[in-house]
Amino acid sequence: MAVDDQGRERLQYIDPGDSRCSRLAAELADEWAEYIDATGLSASASRDYVRAAKAQECTQLEMKLKAAATAIAALHHDNEALRAELADRTGHVVVPLVRGP
């Protein structure tokens, strides 16, 4: 239970079912609750900490997404170059497979 700026207790709720690793999420939620109790962290400070952690996670995921997009673009470019090279060597055009919806 965290305490807000006016000294009132505030319940912070985490649903482990929202996570793919619900057991780990439940353990982390328990550890977080113990940490809040042990440190006397206020509700607003706790909320700020959680927001900062989420922002950091989003930044890391965005960096990974950009890296993946760069790798995919490079692979696409290499694939197109290989198709063109094969077509030049054999005189045949490589037709991509059409995928359904």
Side-chain angles (χ1 to χ4, degrees), residues 1-72:
M1 200 59 78
V3 179
D4 69 10
D5 298 334
Q6 286 80 33
R8 295 178 298 213
E9 289 186 340
R10 296 287 182 186
L11 178 64
Q12 293 185 318
Y13 179 75
I14 297 172
D15 183 1
D18 290 343
S19 174
R20 290 183 62 182
C21 303
S22 58
R23 183 180 293 165
L24 178 60
E27 289 176 22
L28 290 173
D30 290 343
E31 290 290 329
W32 180 251
E34 289 174 14
Y35 178 78
I36 295 292
D37 288 341
T39 61
L41 197 62
S42 71
S44 61
S46 171
R47 210 172 26 254
D48 291 345
Y49 181 86
V50 170
R51 281 187 191 137
K54 285 181 180 180
Q56 183 180 15
E57 181 181 10
C58 287
T59 299
Q60 290 172 349
L61 289 173
E62 187 172 331
M63 289 172 33
K64 289 179 182 180
L65 180 61
K66 286 179 182 179
T70 300
I72 290 168

